């Protein structure tokens, strides 16, 4: 089975097969549809809009560039109702005197980014997917096997009705950290175990967060607090892996005491922690982003430490860059295009991965001699305007050569 669509100047486009209907895969499908490019999206689970809020849901910190990109592909209008602006980011380390702040007003923008429940973004993506006209969605469905063709791939897709065979020009793996597509392509991945576990939940602080997000480092790992609607906050608490079971067993009062000890009292007394479960933290980096008529994006390409909330932000820039390069061509799988994609993504990908990895290795290092140096570095970022702007722009997602969809006019 082939699904081709006409090009404006004659000829036809051959479809792109996207395996993985998560946040990044769905975003790519929407971006391709907006560009008039046919695509097939294989989703492991049947789509479902979850309109029921939850006090223990996962929250996403969306960089300003990410919001620009979601707006450009028509998703933000469906999701923005649940978003909370981040107007300031405060970074510090427990027991040390240095701190730095990124401020939206100082950068001439109304917000550095937004906090959004993952449920809200997922629902917005599903609503936008329903508007697509160039997209074929197979859900629930899984990729069983694939065979190389001279001009693409023959993919065998398992659906409830049986196996469907599709011939496509380009195969995109957007199927997460343990990507089956990456493995079937023979792309190796380097894994680094941080020996840490992550707890995510929603809390209520005594004081108004006033649009402030906090990142606080300590020997045991970072703690992040994100602003949410109704004066709530999202808490991201990292602990050493050997303590994960003990922390998971804490009752609400004991867990809040731990969070308070790790975060401090900048927002007063914390209360009402939601349900939480430990998630092991590993860094997984694909040895290459492209193969023969194939690409891996999002977590399939790189899974980074959640510090700085860079995972989806980086993955969306993958998706939008790929869509930008595919839009004007008849053959989305040509080798030169994929080589250009890999080159375009390298500075952003490598810089973001180095930043997140380096921060964990240095900011959480149990070495008292580094304390004054860390504090001086934070003070420099806070008081030297060129450094402020350098860090703020990267925090907002403007790194390397971003896709055009995320750009804006900045002072």
């Amino acid at each position: 089975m082939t699904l081709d669509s006409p090009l404006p100047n004659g000829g036809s486009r051959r479809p792109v097969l996207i395996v993985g209907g998560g946040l990044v895969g769905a975003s790519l499908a929407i971006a391709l549809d907006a560009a008039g490019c046919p695509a097939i999206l294989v989703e492991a689970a049947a789509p479902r809009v979850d309109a029921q809020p939850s006090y223990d849901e996962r929250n996403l910190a969306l960089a300003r560039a990410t919001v620009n990109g979601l707006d450009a592909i028509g998703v933000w209008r469906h999701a923005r109702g649940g978003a909370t602006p981040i107007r300031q980011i405060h970074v510090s380390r427990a027991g040390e005197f240095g701190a730095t702040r990124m401020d939206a007003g100082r950068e001439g923008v109304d917000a550095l980014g937004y906090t959004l429940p993952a449920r809200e973004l997922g629902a917005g993506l599903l609503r936008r997917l329903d508007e697509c006209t160039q997209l074929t969605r197979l859900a629930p469905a899984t990729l069983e096997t694939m065979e190389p063709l001279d001009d693409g791939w023959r993919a065998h897709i398992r659906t409830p009705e049986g196996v469907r065979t599709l011939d496509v020009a380009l195969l995109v793996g957007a199927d997460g950290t343990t990507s089956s597509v990456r493995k079937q392509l023979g792309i190796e991945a380097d894994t680094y175990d941080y020996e840490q576990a992550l707890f995510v939940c929603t809390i209520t602080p005594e004081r108004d967060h006033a649009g402030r997000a906090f990142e606080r480092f300590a020997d045991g790992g970072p703690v992040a607090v994100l602003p949410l609607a109704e004066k709530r906050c999202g808490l991201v608490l990292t602990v050493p892996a050997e303590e994960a079971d003990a922390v998971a067993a804490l009752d609400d009062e004991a867990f809040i005491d731990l969070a308070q000890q790790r975060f401090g009292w900048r927002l007063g007394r914390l209360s009402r922690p939601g349900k939480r479960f430990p998630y092991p933290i590993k860094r997984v980096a694909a040895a290459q982003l492209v193969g023969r008529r194939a690409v891996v994006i999002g977590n399939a390409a790189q899974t980074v430490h959640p510090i700085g909330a860079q995972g989806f932000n980086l993955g969306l820039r993958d998706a939008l860059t790929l869509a930008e390069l595919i839009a004007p061509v008849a053959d989305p799988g040509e080798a030169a295009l994929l080589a250009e994609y890999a080159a375009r993504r390298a500075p952003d990908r490598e810089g973001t991965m180095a930043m997140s990895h380096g921060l964990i290795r240095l900011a959480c290092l149990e070495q008292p001699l580094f304390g004054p140096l860390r504090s001086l570095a934070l003070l420099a970022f806070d008081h030297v305007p060129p450094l402020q702007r350098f860090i703020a722009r990267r925090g907002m997602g403007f790194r390397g050569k971003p896709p055009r969809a995320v750009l804006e006019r900045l002072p």
Side-chain angles (χ1 to χ4, degrees):
M1 174 184 178
T2 60
L3 300 169
D4 296 348
S5 71
L7 283 165
N9 58 351
S12 63
R13 301 182 198 265
R14 303 194 52 225
V16 175
L17 176 63
I18 306 166
V19 179
L23 302 180
V24 173
S27 297
L28 174 61
I30 291 166
L32 289 176
D33 182 82
C37 303
I40 306 164
L41 180 63
V42 174
E43 307 171 70
R48 179 176 69 91
V49 174
D50 184 2
Q52 182 62 43
S54 169
Y55 201 79
D56 57 359
E57 63 192 348
R58 186 168 60 103
N59 300 293
L60 301 172
L62 305 179
R64 186 173 184 86
T66 296
V67 173
N68 292 346
L70 292 172
D71 188 43
I73 61 174
V75 173
W76 191 238
R77 68 176 183 268
H78 294 300
R80 67 184 308 159
T84 302
I86 299 173
R87 296 192 170 92
Q88 188 181 87
I89 299 174
H90 184 280
V91 182
S92 62
R93 192 184 193 280
E96 296 177 5
F97 63 85
T100 191
R101 298 161 188 82
M102 286 172 273
D103 188 272
R106 194 164 62 188
E107 298 305 318
V109 295
D110 59 347
L112 298 170
Y114 288 79
T115 308
L116 182 69
R119 168 187 53 82
E120 296 274 2
L121 178 56
L125 286 165
L126 288 176
R127 293 189 182 98
R128 179 65 182 86
L129 283 168
D130 288 341
E131 300 169 354
C132 292
T133 60
Q134 297 288 317
L135 178 65
T136 300
R137 297 168 67 188
L138 302 178
T142 56
L143 173 66
E144 287 203 336
T145 59
M146 55 197 203
E147 307 161 17
L149 303 174
D150 289 342
D151 57 353
W153 290 92
R154 175 162 292 161
H156 303 284
I157 311 296
R158 171 68 63 181
T159 73
E161 293 76 34
V163 176
R164 295 183 64 174
T165 299
L166 304 172
D167 290 353
V168 297
L170 176 67
L171 176 64
V172 179
D175 50 342
T177 303
T178 59
S179 173
S180 170
V181 171
R182 188 182 67 220
K183 293 173 183 175
Q184 291 192 57
L185 290 172
I187 296 177
E188 299 292 330
D190 177 65
T191 300
Y192 181 91
D193 189 346
Y194 287 101
E195 299 181 349
Q196 295 176 336
L198 191 71
F199 289 85
V200 180
C201 68
T202 302
I203 57 173
T204 299
E206 180 182 7
R207 299 174 190 153
D208 187 357
H209 55 64
R212 291 175 295 170
F214 298 85
E215 189 89 53
R216 187 159 177 81
F217 297 97
D219 292 347
V223 180
V225 173
L226 304 171
L228 293 172
E230 300 176 358
K231 297 184 178 181
R232 299 174 301 139
C233 287
L235 173 70
V236 183
L237 176 68
T238 308
V239 302
E242 64 268 20
E243 299 177 13
D245 289 343
V247 173
L250 295 176
D251 62 20
D252 285 357
E253 183 178 357
F255 181 80
I256 277 292
D257 286 344
L258 174 63
Q260 194 87 63
Q261 175 189 348
R262 293 284 304 280
F263 174 64
W265 295 84
R266 292 183 183 277
L267 293 177
R269 181 66 182 172
L270 308 178
S271 64
R272 295 189 64 200
K275 295 177 183 178
R276 58 262 169 198
F277 304 95
Y279 302 93
I281 304 175
K282 294 183 179 180
R283 176 183 185 267
V284 179
Q288 59 194 68
L289 298 181
V290 302
R292 180 194 165 279
R293 290 188 169 271
V295 183
V296 289
I297 65 172
N299 282 347
Q302 63 276 317
T303 300
V304 299
H305 195 288
I307 185 175
Q310 291 299 314
F312 172 66
N313 294 297
L314 185 60
L316 182 67
R317 297 196 293 273
D318 289 346
L320 296 179
T321 300
L322 184 60
E324 179 181 306
L325 291 172
I326 286 174
V329 304
D331 182 1
E334 60 185 22
L337 181 150
L338 299 186
E340 183 178 355
Y341 170 80
R344 280 272 304 271
R345 293 305 300 140
D348 186 13
R349 177 182 190 249
E350 293 168 7
T352 302
M353 292 176 68
M355 180 274 293
S356 65
H357 188 66
L359 276 177
I360 286 297
R361 301 302 297 158
L362 293 176
C364 298
L365 187 66
E366 297 182 45
Q367 176 50 264
L369 293 177
F370 279 108
L373 294 176
R374 283 188 293 233
S375 290
L376 288 172
L378 288 174
L379 288 173
F381 290 143
D382 201 42
H383 291 88
V384 179
L387 285 176
Q388 289 174 358
R389 186 165 182 79
F390 178 84
I391 296 298
R393 283 187 59 80
R394 277 147 185 78
M396 289 189 285
F398 303 108
R399 180 195 294 272
K401 186 179 180 181
R404 287 192 300 269
V406 310
L407 297 179
E408 61 179 293
R409 290 183 179 272
L410 289 176

